[in-house]
Amino acid sequence: MDEKDSMDFLDETDRQILLMLKSNSRTALKTIGESVHLTAQAVSNRIIRLQKLQVIRRYTIDVNEEKLGMAMIAYITVFMKTREHQQLQRLLQAEDIVKEVHRISGDGCYLVKVVCPGMMEINRLLDQLMEYGTYRLNLSTESIKG
């Protein structure tokens, strides 16, 4: 079943369940059921179906990085000068401070989100990126929505 077909199987109840899980993935099945007028077992069955359809891919937590000493957020646009995309991707996947990597169109080749304690870690990563091309660094000064 492709992605388009799986969307045909989502009804309003599925969408409400997904919204509740996105807000808090630990919401009790009973609580979700009361909200959507289903039993906890029926909610569980729908969630299992959504997982099988890969509508729900994983469950995560929202960590307050500042409380862990990770106060600096940077966005790095990478402009490739080589064709070593796979090597760059492996480097970025191996870096703990790299939280997201997107291959992009338009201005640049990759957009990299970094969360770390300070500039020393960013500078170390930037030095490694110079093997593959150039970059543009943007530092986050405030999170508005996250």
Side-chain angles (χ1 to χ4, degrees):
M1 182 177 309
D2 66 24
E3 188 175 317
K4 182 183 181 306
D5 291 337
S6 67
M7 293 303 292
D8 293 339
F9 289 98
L10 296 180
D11 62 14
E12 187 56 34
T13 301
D14 290 331
R15 294 178 199 288
Q16 289 176 357
I17 291 169
L18 289 170
L19 281 174
M20 292 185 76
L21 290 174
K22 280 180 78 172
S23 174
N24 179 358
S25 63
R26 293 189 58 158
T27 304
L29 296 177
K30 180 180 177 186
T31 302
I32 296 172
E34 289 169 355
S35 177
V36 298
H37 309 292
L38 293 174
T39 66
Q41 182 61 47
V43 170
S44 176
N45 290 340
R46 282 179 177 252
I47 291 172
I48 290 168
R49 182 176 58 83
L50 292 168
Q51 289 170 330
K52 286 180 180 175
L53 291 171
Q54 295 184 343
V55 173
I56 297 175
R57 295 184 299 189
R58 62 188 172 119
Y59 294 90
T60 64
I61 60 172
D62 184 9
V63 175
N64 184 339
E65 301 285 356
E66 283 188 48
K67 300 277 184 187
L68 299 175
M70 306 290 268
M72 182 148 305
I73 299 172
Y75 295 91
I76 303 168
T77 305
V78 179
F79 302 87
M80 295 292 288
K81 298 274 183 174
T82 72
R83 294 178 183 229
E84 307 296 332
H85 289 267
Q86 289 182 342
Q87 290 166 324
L88 173 67
Q89 291 170 12
R90 280 194 294 274
L91 166 74
L92 295 172
Q93 288 173 348
E95 285 290 332
D96 289 337
I97 65 171
V98 173
K99 302 304 179 189
E100 293 181 32
V101 179
H102 300 271
R103 194 156 184 184
I104 59 174
S105 64
D107 192 23
C109 301
Y110 294 91
L111 181 62
V112 180
K113 180 180 179 181
V114 173
V115 179
C116 62
M119 281 306 297
M120 186 171 68
E121 294 82 6
I122 292 174
N123 284 329
R124 184 185 55 75
L125 179 61
L126 294 176
D127 288 344
Q128 292 176 295
L129 292 178
M130 291 299 292
E131 272 187 56
Y132 302 96
T134 60
Y135 60 83
R136 180 178 55 237
L137 174 66
N138 291 291
L139 299 176
S140 174
T141 59
E142 178 182 16
S143 177
I144 308 302
K145 180 178 178 181

